[in-house]
Amino acid sequence: MSSDYDRVRTGIEFMTAYVSGDELLTEYLGERRREDPAVTETLLDGTAALCAALLQTLARTTRRSEHEILQELARGTHRREQRSGD
């Protein structure tokens, strides 16, 4: 079992590659798959751990519940999609 630190660090690595663009993401995923062909579960777990840590931090700093923040994210995403579809 990986520690929370290791899980979050994996999520940070994956999301760093994601926000760095398709080329770097593809390179990162290829490298990770060469190391471990079953890396998908590890990356999903790390990304979930990172999201949970960010959500908890945001809830503490805004003094809002995690559920409220998730609902706001869902509504905001829906509104952006509706506007981009127009």
Side-chain angles (χ1 to χ4, degrees):
M1 175 64 80
S2 295
S3 70
D4 284 343
Y5 171 80
D6 290 335
R7 294 173 61 222
V8 170
R9 186 183 51 138
T10 296
I12 290 170
E13 287 177 3
F14 178 63
M15 291 308 297
T16 299
Y18 176 82
V19 300
S20 296
D22 290 339
E23 188 175 313
L24 187 58
L25 178 60
T26 300
E27 182 181 319
Y28 173 78
L29 289 174
E31 182 180 311
R32 293 297 308 263
R33 284 188 183 119
R34 283 188 294 280
E35 294 170 2
D36 177 10
V39 75
T40 302
E41 184 175 322
T42 302
L43 293 176
L44 288 173
D45 178 64
T47 304
L50 173 61
C51 287
L54 291 171
L55 181 59
Q56 291 167 353
T57 299
L58 188 57
R60 275 193 312 272
T61 59
T62 62
R63 295 190 172 134
R64 297 171 69 200
S65 75
E66 294 165 357
H67 290 286
E68 289 175 304
I69 293 166
L70 290 171
Q71 288 173 349
E72 184 178 324
L73 286 168
R75 284 191 300 270
T77 301
H78 180 72
R79 282 192 300 268
R80 278 192 305 278
E81 287 181 359
Q82 293 297 313
R83 284 193 304 257
S84 68
D86 293 343

